[in-house]
Amino acid sequence: MKNKNRTTLLRYWTTRYLVTLFIGLLILGVFSLWWIRHTTLENRLTLMEYVAAETADRIASSDRNKDYNLFNKKLDDRAKVLQMDRPPEFFITDMDGNVLNSKPLHKGLMQKVHQFHNLQKISSDVLENEKTVQKLQLNETRVYAVKKPIVYDDNQAGWVFVMQNASELTDVEQEYRLPIILLLGLGLLGWIIIYLLTKKILKPIHNVAFAASQIRDGNYDIHLNTDDAKEKEIHELLLSFEEMTTRLTQLEALRAELLAGVTHDLKTPVTSISGLVQAVKDGIVSGNERDEFLEITLKEIHRLQRMIEDLLDYNSLSAGAFSIRTEETNMNELLREMVHHWKITLNEDFDIKLVVPETIVYRETDPLRLQQILINLLNNAYQALGKDGSISVSLSKKSIEVQDTGAGIREEEQPYIFERFFRGEKKKLKVRGLGLGLPFSRMLAKALGADLIMKSSSSRGTTFSIVWKK
């Protein structure tokens, strides 16, 4: 595999968040600036309309023989509210568009160069256009023009025009400053917040990663502070990891104990066989006693063979080298035959009851593998029985249950009954074996599309159930 440069989680997420935040704020900023520009233009044009209308009204209510230039001083203050570097210019024309005055409205800005000082006549196209606000092209300059009629005694005598360069109207540098500062501030604040929050969340993750590296090195003595985690998911992660390390510690101790037990169980028959054969060879025993020694030797050999077969079968199933041959099976008939043959093989007198439904239950399964599971469950049930104990086998459409009235499995041993090589303390003293029966049976059940579970266990007995998933 190629070695890839890995980045820290803090850098990974803060960088991506910053990029996403920048793109989002950029889009928001562009839209905000466009909106400010558009709104400012609309407001200024509206204000220009108001000034033009007021000028027309003042002219109409004054002596028509007065010099129109006298109105510049009265309208000086009105131009200031437009808040532009260069104020607009006012033109008063007759009905034919001839300009009667062309001085700037704001005297304090007289020194600024006039944009329209050469304008002597307004085009007839502009006069005839019904629009109050028009966009014109004067001397290669885009201009907004606002016109209002001058009316004397219900008769129009001329026009008032307020004109301004388009670039002046849309110059909103001062209005841009506040949103730009706000957007930059939001970006910086957002980055700081995500950095601090991510750093806080990463602390327990760093602790878990360090604990995982310790477990990898074989150190299971790990303690995580679960109380500091306020988030539910982080708390559950720490709690689950701590429980996992506790279980790993228990399993590691159990593994060492089980390995010693398996070694002892395999060594015992070998030692017995060696001693018995040596006694016969040396002539220490003879006659009937010799035959008895040989018979015991054969039994020990058979027990050793069974342990080795259990190991081979379990390893084969774990490796997937185990064949399953399914067929349509009459479950009622299969259970009757199997229970009957198993009881005859034991040649013991005890109570066993089979409960099957009146209607025949058919299932697609492997009868041989299912029989292996059931025989193992029945053997375990029989080994747990005391005096006057009984076993019950029940069949339903979805499951098969094996129940005994034995002493049950101790509560502290129940979580480990499906672990490889695990054997309860009581069973170790009564029966030799490797502790592969239940793990092997569960793997077989899964291969058959079912699950093997311990339904209940108490001092009144234990119930195991084979439950089909479909």
Side-chain angles (χ1 to χ4, degrees), residues 42-74:
E42 291 293 325
N43 292 338
R44 286 178 175 177
L45 288 174
T46 301
L47 195 56
M48 285 173 62
E49 286 187 66
Y50 167 75
V51 173
E54 186 181 29
T55 303
D57 290 341
R58 286 178 177 272
I59 293 174
S61 62
S62 302
D63 187 355
R64 62 193 309 178
N65 295 320
K66 281 188 177 181
D67 185 358
Y68 294 132
N69 293 323
L70 295 177
F71 289 101
N72 291 333
K73 185 176 181 180
K74 294 180 180 180

PDB file of all heavy atoms in Angstrom, residues 42-74:
ATOM      1  N   GLU A  42     -31.812  53.313  -6.097  1.00  0.00           N
ATOM      2  CA  GLU A  42     -33.255  53.567  -6.089  1.00  0.00           C
ATOM      3  C   GLU A  42     -33.599  54.721  -5.132  1.00  0.00           C
ATOM      4  O   GLU A  42     -34.415  55.600  -5.469  1.00  0.00           O
ATOM      5  CB  GLU A  42     -34.004  52.299  -5.651  1.00  0.00           C
ATOM      6  CG  GLU A  42     -33.939  51.156  -6.656  1.00  0.00           C
ATOM      7  CD  GLU A  42     -34.681  51.483  -7.934  1.00  0.00           C
ATOM      8  OE1 GLU A  42     -35.715  52.180  -7.848  1.00  0.00           O
ATOM      9  OE2 GLU A  42     -34.229  51.067  -9.019  1.00  0.00           O
ATOM     10  N   ASN A  43     -32.967  54.724  -3.957  1.00  0.00           N
ATOM     11  CA  ASN A  43     -33.249  55.781  -2.980  1.00  0.00           C
ATOM     12  C   ASN A  43     -32.806  57.155  -3.494  1.00  0.00           C
ATOM     13  O   ASN A  43     -33.510  58.166  -3.316  1.00  0.00           O
ATOM     14  CB  ASN A  43     -32.550  55.480  -1.656  1.00  0.00           C
ATOM     15  CG  ASN A  43     -33.153  54.267  -0.952  1.00  0.00           C
ATOM     16  OD1 ASN A  43     -34.301  53.904  -1.209  1.00  0.00           O
ATOM     17  ND2 ASN A  43     -32.385  53.653  -0.056  1.00  0.00           N
ATOM     18  N   ARG A  44     -31.650  57.209  -4.132  1.00  0.00           N
ATOM     19  CA  ARG A  44     -31.149  58.487  -4.634  1.00  0.00           C
ATOM     20  C   ARG A  44     -31.993  59.006  -5.795  1.00  0.00           C
ATOM     21  O   ARG A  44     -32.253  60.218  -5.904  1.00  0.00           O
ATOM     22  CB  ARG A  44     -29.693  58.336  -5.053  1.00  0.00           C
ATOM     23  CG  ARG A  44     -28.752  58.253  -3.850  1.00  0.00           C
ATOM     24  CD  ARG A  44     -27.311  58.047  -4.253  1.00  0.00           C
ATOM     25  NE  ARG A  44     -26.423  58.088  -3.080  1.00  0.00           N
ATOM     26  CZ  ARG A  44     -25.116  57.873  -3.137  1.00  0.00           C
ATOM     27  NH1 ARG A  44     -24.540  57.594  -4.304  1.00  0.00           N
ATOM     28  NH2 ARG A  44     -24.381  57.954  -2.031  1.00  0.00           N
ATOM     29  N   LEU A  45     -32.410  58.095  -6.639  1.00  0.00           N
ATOM     30  CA  LEU A  45     -33.287  58.506  -7.738  1.00  0.00           C
ATOM     31  C   LEU A  45     -34.627  59.003  -7.201  1.00  0.00           C
ATOM     32  O   LEU A  45     -35.185  59.990  -7.715  1.00  0.00           O
ATOM     33  CB  LEU A  45     -33.498  57.340  -8.704  1.00  0.00           C
ATOM     34  CG  LEU A  45     -32.293  56.967  -9.574  1.00  0.00           C
ATOM     35  CD1 LEU A  45     -32.589  55.700 -10.398  1.00  0.00           C
ATOM     36  CD2 LEU A  45     -31.916  58.109 -10.515  1.00  0.00           C
ATOM     37  N   THR A  46     -35.134  58.326  -6.166  1.00  0.00           N
ATOM     38  CA  THR A  46     -36.394  58.773  -5.556  1.00  0.00           C
ATOM     39  C   THR A  46     -36.230  60.157  -4.941  1.00  0.00           C
ATOM     40  O   THR A  46     -37.114  61.032  -5.059  1.00  0.00           O
ATOM     41  CB  THR A  46     -36.836  57.765  -4.476  1.00  0.00           C
ATOM     42  OG1 THR A  46     -37.012  56.485  -5.071  1.00  0.00           O
ATOM     43  CG2 THR A  46     -38.145  58.196  -3.827  1.00  0.00           C
ATOM     44  N   LEU A  47     -35.083  60.356  -4.285  1.00  0.00           N
ATOM     45  CA  LEU A  47     -34.827  61.657  -3.678  1.00  0.00           C
ATOM     46  C   LEU A  47     -34.659  62.742  -4.741  1.00  0.00           C
ATOM     47  O   LEU A  47     -35.109  63.889  -4.572  1.00  0.00           O
ATOM     48  CB  LEU A  47     -33.570  61.563  -2.805  1.00  0.00           C
ATOM     49  CG  LEU A  47     -33.339  62.705  -1.817  1.00  0.00           C
ATOM     50  CD1 LEU A  47     -34.534  62.884  -0.895  1.00  0.00           C
ATOM     51  CD2 LEU A  47     -32.079  62.449  -1.009  1.00  0.00           C
ATOM     52  N   MET A  48     -34.022  62.378  -5.854  1.00  0.00           N
ATOM     53  CA  MET A  48     -33.890  63.330  -6.970  1.00  0.00           C
ATOM     54  C   MET A  48     -35.268  63.697  -7.535  1.00  0.00           C
ATOM     55  O   MET A  48     -35.520  64.843  -7.909  1.00  0.00           O
ATOM     56  CB  MET A  48     -33.000  62.733  -8.057  1.00  0.00           C
ATOM     57  CG  MET A  48     -31.514  62.741  -7.708  1.00  0.00           C
ATOM     58  SD  MET A  48     -30.481  61.841  -8.914  1.00  0.00           S
ATOM     59  CE  MET A  48     -30.785  62.795 -10.389  1.00  0.00           C
ATOM     60  N   GLU A  49     -36.163  62.709  -7.592  1.00  0.00           N
ATOM     61  CA  GLU A  49     -37.528  62.998  -8.040  1.00  0.00           C
ATOM     62  C   GLU A  49     -38.202  63.988  -7.088  1.00  0.00           C
ATOM     63  O   GLU A  49     -38.900  64.918  -7.519  1.00  0.00           O
ATOM     64  CB  GLU A  49     -38.343  61.705  -8.102  1.00  0.00           C
ATOM     65  CG  GLU A  49     -37.997  60.796  -9.261  1.00  0.00           C
ATOM     66  CD  GLU A  49     -38.956  59.622  -9.363  1.00  0.00           C
ATOM     67  OE1 GLU A  49     -40.151  59.849  -9.639  1.00  0.00           O
ATOM     68  OE2 GLU A  49     -38.499  58.472  -9.133  1.00  0.00           O
ATOM     69  N   TYR A  50     -37.993  63.761  -5.798  1.00  0.00           N
ATOM     70  CA  TYR A  50     -38.611  64.644  -4.808  1.00  0.00           C
ATOM     71  C   TYR A  50     -38.076  66.069  -4.946  1.00  0.00           C
ATOM     72  O   TYR A  50     -38.831  67.056  -4.925  1.00  0.00           O
ATOM     73  CB  TYR A  50     -38.340  64.107  -3.405  1.00  0.00           C
ATOM     74  CG  TYR A  50     -38.665  65.080  -2.303  1.00  0.00           C
ATOM     75  CD1 TYR A  50     -39.988  65.337  -1.945  1.00  0.00           C
ATOM     76  CD2 TYR A  50     -37.643  65.764  -1.643  1.00  0.00           C
ATOM     77  CE1 TYR A  50     -40.288  66.247  -0.937  1.00  0.00           C
ATOM     78  CE2 TYR A  50     -37.931  66.669  -0.646  1.00  0.00           C
ATOM     79  CZ  TYR A  50     -39.259  66.905  -0.293  1.00  0.00           C
ATOM     80  OH  TYR A  50     -39.547  67.809   0.692  1.00  0.00           O
ATOM     81  N   VAL A  51     -36.752  66.210  -5.112  1.00  0.00           N
ATOM     82  CA  VAL A  51     -36.135  67.533  -5.249  1.00  0.00           C
ATOM     83  C   VAL A  51     -36.608  68.217  -6.527  1.00  0.00           C
ATOM     84  O   VAL A  51     -36.903  69.425  -6.548  1.00  0.00           O
ATOM     85  CB  VAL A  51     -34.608  67.405  -5.208  1.00  0.00           C
ATOM     86  CG1 VAL A  51     -33.952  68.758  -5.514  1.00  0.00           C
ATOM     87  CG2 VAL A  51     -34.149  66.911  -3.853  1.00  0.00           C
ATOM     88  N   ALA A  52     -36.694  67.426  -7.608  1.00  0.00           N
ATOM     89  CA  ALA A  52     -37.160  67.999  -8.878  1.00  0.00           C
ATOM     90  C   ALA A  52     -38.607  68.479  -8.760  1.00  0.00           C
ATOM     91  O   ALA A  52     -38.970  69.570  -9.251  1.00  0.00           O
ATOM     92  CB  ALA A  52     -37.028  66.979  -9.991  1.00  0.00           C
ATOM     93  N   ALA A  53     -39.464  67.693  -8.122  1.00  0.00           N
ATOM     94  CA  ALA A  53     -40.868  68.072  -7.945  1.00  0.00           C
ATOM     95  C   ALA A  53     -40.984  69.303  -7.068  1.00  0.00           C
ATOM     96  O   ALA A  53     -41.787  70.232  -7.346  1.00  0.00           O
ATOM     97  CB  ALA A  53     -41.645  66.914  -7.342  1.00  0.00           C
ATOM     98  N   GLU A  54     -40.174  69.399  -5.993  1.00  0.00           N
ATOM     99  CA  GLU A  54     -40.220  70.560  -5.113  1.00  0.00           C
ATOM    100  C   GLU A  54     -39.743  71.801  -5.839  1.00  0.00           C
ATOM    101  O   GLU A  54     -40.316  72.902  -5.675  1.00  0.00           O
ATOM    102  CB  GLU A  54     -39.354  70.301  -3.873  1.00  0.00           C
ATOM    103  CG  GLU A  54     -39.485  71.417  -2.837  1.00  0.00           C
ATOM    104  CD  GLU A  54     -38.597  71.165  -1.635  1.00  0.00           C
ATOM    105  OE1 GLU A  54     -37.544  70.511  -1.812  1.00  0.00           O
ATOM    106  OE2 GLU A  54     -38.949  71.615  -0.539  1.00  0.00           O
ATOM    107  N   THR A  55     -38.722  71.636  -6.675  1.00  0.00           N
ATOM    108  CA  THR A  55     -38.214  72.776  -7.439  1.00  0.00           C
ATOM    109  C   THR A  55     -39.277  73.290  -8.397  1.00  0.00           C
ATOM    110  O   THR A  55     -39.500  74.509  -8.535  1.00  0.00           O
ATOM    111  CB  THR A  55     -36.952  72.368  -8.207  1.00  0.00           C
ATOM    112  OG1 THR A  55     -35.986  71.881  -7.295  1.00  0.00           O
ATOM    113  CG2 THR A  55     -36.379  73.557  -8.967  1.00  0.00           C
ATOM    114  N   ALA A  56     -39.944  72.342  -9.073  1.00  0.00           N
ATOM    115  CA  ALA A  56     -41.000  72.740 -10.020  1.00  0.00           C
ATOM    116  C   ALA A  56     -42.133  73.467  -9.295  1.00  0.00           C
ATOM    117  O   ALA A  56     -42.674  74.474  -9.802  1.00  0.00           O
ATOM    118  CB  ALA A  56     -41.525  71.510 -10.754  1.00  0.00           C
ATOM    119  N   ASP A  57     -42.483  72.979  -8.118  1.00  0.00           N
ATOM    120  CA  ASP A  57     -43.551  73.627  -7.355  1.00  0.00           C
ATOM    121  C   ASP A  57     -43.146  75.026  -6.920  1.00  0.00           C
ATOM    122  O   ASP A  57     -43.955  75.973  -6.937  1.00  0.00           O
ATOM    123  CB  ASP A  57     -43.902  72.785  -6.132  1.00  0.00           C
ATOM    124  CG  ASP A  57     -44.608  71.492  -6.509  1.00  0.00           C
ATOM    125  OD1 ASP A  57     -45.128  71.429  -7.648  1.00  0.00           O
ATOM    126  OD2 ASP A  57     -44.617  70.552  -5.678  1.00  0.00           O
ATOM    127  N   ARG A  58     -41.891  75.199  -6.488  1.00  0.00           N
ATOM    128  CA  ARG A  58     -41.417  76.516  -6.054  1.00  0.00           C
ATOM    129  C   ARG A  58     -41.404  77.514  -7.212  1.00  0.00           C
ATOM    130  O   ARG A  58     -41.757  78.688  -7.058  1.00  0.00           O
ATOM    131  CB  ARG A  58     -40.027  76.408  -5.434  1.00  0.00           C
ATOM    132  CG  ARG A  58     -40.023  75.794  -4.036  1.00  0.00           C
ATOM    133  CD  ARG A  58     -38.599  75.672  -3.495  1.00  0.00           C
ATOM    134  NE  ARG A  58     -38.608  75.162  -2.143  1.00  0.00           N
ATOM    135  CZ  ARG A  58     -38.709  75.904  -1.044  1.00  0.00           C
ATOM    136  NH1 ARG A  58     -38.851  77.218  -1.160  1.00  0.00           N
ATOM    137  NH2 ARG A  58     -38.691  75.362   0.149  1.00  0.00           N
ATOM    138  N   ILE A  59     -40.987  77.019  -8.368  1.00  0.00           N
ATOM    139  CA  ILE A  59     -40.956  77.907  -9.539  1.00  0.00           C
ATOM    140  C   ILE A  59     -42.372  78.315  -9.928  1.00  0.00           C
ATOM    141  O   ILE A  59     -42.659  79.481 -10.234  1.00  0.00           O
ATOM    142  CB  ILE A  59     -40.248  77.221 -10.718  1.00  0.00           C
ATOM    143  CG1 ILE A  59     -38.765  77.035 -10.397  1.00  0.00           C
ATOM    144  CG2 ILE A  59     -40.411  78.020 -12.001  1.00  0.00           C
ATOM    145  CD1 ILE A  59     -38.009  76.233 -11.424  1.00  0.00           C
ATOM    146  N   ALA A  60     -43.304  77.331  -9.901  1.00  0.00           N
ATOM    147  CA  ALA A  60     -44.678  77.611 -10.292  1.00  0.00           C
ATOM    148  C   ALA A  60     -45.360  78.589  -9.337  1.00  0.00           C
ATOM    149  O   ALA A  60     -46.210  79.392  -9.738  1.00  0.00           O
ATOM    150  CB  ALA A  60     -45.478  76.316 -10.355  1.00  0.00           C
ATOM    151  N   SER A  61     -44.999  78.558  -8.056  1.00  0.00           N
ATOM    152  CA  SER A  61     -45.629  79.431  -7.070  1.00  0.00           C
ATOM    153  C   SER A  61     -44.935  80.778  -6.946  1.00  0.00           C
ATOM    154  O   SER A  61     -45.345  81.625  -6.176  1.00  0.00           O
ATOM    155  CB  SER A  61     -45.636  78.748  -5.699  1.00  0.00           C
ATOM    156  OG  SER A  61     -44.308  78.506  -5.266  1.00  0.00           O
ATOM    157  N   SER A  62     -43.851  81.008  -7.708  1.00  0.00           N
ATOM    158  CA  SER A  62     -43.104  82.260  -7.648  1.00  0.00           C
ATOM    159  C   SER A  62     -43.445  83.120  -8.858  1.00  0.00           C
ATOM    160  O   SER A  62     -44.155  82.695  -9.784  1.00  0.00           O
ATOM    161  CB  SER A  62     -41.598  81.979  -7.608  1.00  0.00           C
ATOM    162  OG  SER A  62     -41.284  81.176  -6.490  1.00  0.00           O
ATOM    163  N   ASP A  63     -42.877  84.333  -8.850  1.00  0.00           N
ATOM    164  CA  ASP A  63     -43.081  85.251  -9.980  1.00  0.00           C
ATOM    165  C   ASP A  63     -42.371  84.707 -11.198  1.00  0.00           C
ATOM    166  O   ASP A  63     -41.155  84.492 -11.178  1.00  0.00           O
ATOM    167  CB  ASP A  63     -42.524  86.620  -9.596  1.00  0.00           C
ATOM    168  CG  ASP A  63     -42.845  87.675 -10.665  1.00  0.00           C
ATOM    169  OD1 ASP A  63     -43.405  87.283 -11.717  1.00  0.00           O
ATOM    170  OD2 ASP A  63     -42.517  88.846 -10.415  1.00  0.00           O
ATOM    171  N   ARG A  64     -43.110  84.459 -12.285  1.00  0.00           N
ATOM    172  CA  ARG A  64     -42.531  83.801 -13.463  1.00  0.00           C
ATOM    173  C   ARG A  64     -41.497  84.673 -14.145  1.00  0.00           C
ATOM    174  O   ARG A  64     -40.751  84.218 -15.010  1.00  0.00           O
ATOM    175  CB  ARG A  64     -43.633  83.438 -14.440  1.00  0.00           C
ATOM    176  CG  ARG A  64     -44.394  84.620 -14.970  1.00  0.00           C
ATOM    177  CD  ARG A  64     -45.656  84.197 -15.688  1.00  0.00           C
ATOM    178  NE  ARG A  64     -45.380  83.180 -16.682  1.00  0.00           N
ATOM    179  CZ  ARG A  64     -46.337  82.603 -17.422  1.00  0.00           C
ATOM    180  NH1 ARG A  64     -47.612  82.931 -17.243  1.00  0.00           N
ATOM    181  NH2 ARG A  64     -46.040  81.697 -18.316  1.00  0.00           N
ATOM    182  N   ASN A  65     -41.439  85.960 -13.798  1.00  0.00           N
ATOM    183  CA  ASN A  65     -40.455  86.841 -14.421  1.00  0.00           C
ATOM    184  C   ASN A  65     -39.131  86.866 -13.665  1.00  0.00           C
ATOM    185  O   ASN A  65     -38.187  87.519 -14.092  1.00  0.00           O
ATOM    186  CB  ASN A  65     -41.006  88.273 -14.505  1.00  0.00           C
ATOM    187  CG  ASN A  65     -42.210  88.343 -15.442  1.00  0.00           C
ATOM    188  OD1 ASN A  65     -42.202  87.701 -16.501  1.00  0.00           O
ATOM    189  ND2 ASN A  65     -43.232  89.120 -15.045  1.00  0.00           N
ATOM    190  N   LYS A  66     -39.093  86.209 -12.499  1.00  0.00           N
ATOM    191  CA  LYS A  66     -37.835  86.187 -11.732  1.00  0.00           C
ATOM    192  C   LYS A  66     -36.768  85.398 -12.456  1.00  0.00           C
ATOM    193  O   LYS A  66     -37.076  84.489 -13.223  1.00  0.00           O
ATOM    194  CB  LYS A  66     -38.065  85.586 -10.355  1.00  0.00           C
ATOM    195  CG  LYS A  66     -38.705  86.558  -9.377  1.00  0.00           C
ATOM    196  CD  LYS A  66     -38.701  85.951  -8.007  1.00  0.00           C
ATOM    197  CE  LYS A  66     -39.265  86.949  -6.995  1.00  0.00           C
ATOM    198  NZ  LYS A  66     -39.243  86.393  -5.650  1.00  0.00           N
ATOM    199  N   ASP A  67     -35.546  85.725 -12.110  1.00  0.00           N
ATOM    200  CA  ASP A  67     -34.435  84.954 -12.669  1.00  0.00           C
ATOM    201  C   ASP A  67     -34.449  83.566 -12.035  1.00  0.00           C
ATOM    202  O   ASP A  67     -34.439  83.435 -10.811  1.00  0.00           O
ATOM    203  CB  ASP A  67     -33.122  85.676 -12.357  1.00  0.00           C
ATOM    204  CG  ASP A  67     -31.935  84.992 -13.014  1.00  0.00           C
ATOM    205  OD1 ASP A  67     -32.148  83.940 -13.670  1.00  0.00           O
ATOM    206  OD2 ASP A  67     -30.811  85.484 -12.827  1.00  0.00           O
ATOM    207  N   TYR A  68     -34.443  82.552 -12.851  1.00  0.00           N
ATOM    208  CA  TYR A  68     -34.500  81.175 -12.336  1.00  0.00           C
ATOM    209  C   TYR A  68     -33.280  80.813 -11.500  1.00  0.00           C
ATOM    210  O   TYR A  68     -33.325  79.917 -10.661  1.00  0.00           O
ATOM    211  CB  TYR A  68     -34.628  80.192 -13.498  1.00  0.00           C
ATOM    212  CG  TYR A  68     -35.936  80.327 -14.237  1.00  0.00           C
ATOM    213  CD1 TYR A  68     -35.954  80.388 -15.629  1.00  0.00           C
ATOM    214  CD2 TYR A  68     -37.129  80.380 -13.538  1.00  0.00           C
ATOM    215  CE1 TYR A  68     -37.152  80.506 -16.309  1.00  0.00           C
ATOM    216  CE2 TYR A  68     -38.338  80.508 -14.221  1.00  0.00           C
ATOM    217  CZ  TYR A  68     -38.355  80.565 -15.610  1.00  0.00           C
ATOM    218  OH  TYR A  68     -39.521  80.690 -16.282  1.00  0.00           O
ATOM    219  N   ASN A  69     -32.165  81.547 -11.752  1.00  0.00           N
ATOM    220  CA  ASN A  69     -30.953  81.204 -11.003  1.00  0.00           C
ATOM    221  C   ASN A  69     -31.072  81.532  -9.511  1.00  0.00           C
ATOM    222  O   ASN A  69     -30.292  81.052  -8.696  1.00  0.00           O
ATOM    223  CB  ASN A  69     -29.762  81.961 -11.582  1.00  0.00           C
ATOM    224  CG  ASN A  69     -29.422  81.489 -12.995  1.00  0.00           C
ATOM    225  OD1 ASN A  69     -29.529  80.298 -13.273  1.00  0.00           O
ATOM    226  ND2 ASN A  69     -29.041  82.419 -13.855  1.00  0.00           N
ATOM    227  N   LEU A  70     -32.082  82.380  -9.124  1.00  0.00           N
ATOM    228  CA  LEU A  70     -32.266  82.715  -7.712  1.00  0.00           C
ATOM    229  C   LEU A  70     -32.722  81.501  -6.891  1.00  0.00           C
ATOM    230  O   LEU A  70     -32.598  81.496  -5.669  1.00  0.00           O
ATOM    231  CB  LEU A  70     -33.292  83.856  -7.590  1.00  0.00           C
ATOM    232  CG  LEU A  70     -32.871  85.195  -8.207  1.00  0.00           C
ATOM    233  CD1 LEU A  70     -34.011  86.212  -8.067  1.00  0.00           C
ATOM    234  CD2 LEU A  70     -31.605  85.720  -7.549  1.00  0.00           C
ATOM    235  N   PHE A  71     -33.248  80.477  -7.551  1.00  0.00           N
ATOM    236  CA  PHE A  71     -33.727  79.298  -6.809  1.00  0.00           C
ATOM    237  C   PHE A  71     -32.582  78.375  -6.371  1.00  0.00           C
ATOM    238  O   PHE A  71     -32.783  77.478  -5.578  1.00  0.00           O
ATOM    239  CB  PHE A  71     -34.708  78.503  -7.686  1.00  0.00           C
ATOM    240  CG  PHE A  71     -36.008  79.219  -7.864  1.00  0.00           C
ATOM    241  CD1 PHE A  71     -36.262  79.916  -9.031  1.00  0.00           C
ATOM    242  CD2 PHE A  71     -36.972  79.205  -6.866  1.00  0.00           C
ATOM    243  CE1 PHE A  71     -37.468  80.594  -9.206  1.00  0.00           C
ATOM    244  CE2 PHE A  71     -38.177  79.871  -7.045  1.00  0.00           C
ATOM    245  CZ  PHE A  71     -38.439  80.567  -8.218  1.00  0.00           C
ATOM    246  N   ASN A  72     -31.383  78.615  -6.916  1.00  0.00           N
ATOM    247  CA  ASN A  72     -30.247  77.763  -6.526  1.00  0.00           C
ATOM    248  C   ASN A  72     -29.987  77.826  -5.020  1.00  0.00           C
ATOM    249  O   ASN A  72     -29.716  76.806  -4.373  1.00  0.00           O
ATOM    250  CB  ASN A  72     -28.992  78.184  -7.268  1.00  0.00           C
ATOM    251  CG  ASN A  72     -29.079  77.863  -8.756  1.00  0.00           C
ATOM    252  OD1 ASN A  72     -29.786  76.937  -9.141  1.00  0.00           O
ATOM    253  ND2 ASN A  72     -28.383  78.645  -9.564  1.00  0.00           N
ATOM    254  N   LYS A  73     -30.065  79.038  -4.444  1.00  0.00           N
ATOM    255  CA  LYS A  73     -29.771  79.178  -3.025  1.00  0.00           C
ATOM    256  C   LYS A  73     -30.815  78.487  -2.168  1.00  0.00           C
ATOM    257  O   LYS A  73     -30.502  77.866  -1.153  1.00  0.00           O
ATOM    258  CB  LYS A  73     -29.697  80.658  -2.683  1.00  0.00           C
ATOM    259  CG  LYS A  73     -29.270  80.915  -1.240  1.00  0.00           C
ATOM    260  CD  LYS A  73     -29.116  82.382  -0.975  1.00  0.00           C
ATOM    261  CE  LYS A  73     -28.667  82.615   0.454  1.00  0.00           C
ATOM    262  NZ  LYS A  73     -28.492  84.059   0.766  1.00  0.00           N
ATOM    263  N   LYS A  74     -32.087  78.548  -2.567  1.00  0.00           N
ATOM    264  CA  LYS A  74     -33.155  77.932  -1.790  1.00  0.00           C
ATOM    265  C   LYS A  74     -33.058  76.408  -1.820  1.00  0.00           C
ATOM    266  O   LYS A  74     -33.432  75.746  -0.856  1.00  0.00           O
ATOM    267  CB  LYS A  74     -34.513  78.369  -2.326  1.00  0.00           C
ATOM    268  CG  LYS A  74     -34.789  79.848  -2.148  1.00  0.00           C
ATOM    269  CD  LYS A  74     -36.160  80.197  -2.703  1.00  0.00           C
ATOM    270  CE  LYS A  74     -36.439  81.694  -2.528  1.00  0.00           C
ATOM    271  NZ  LYS A  74     -37.782  82.064  -3.062  1.00  0.00           N
TER     272      LYS A  74
END
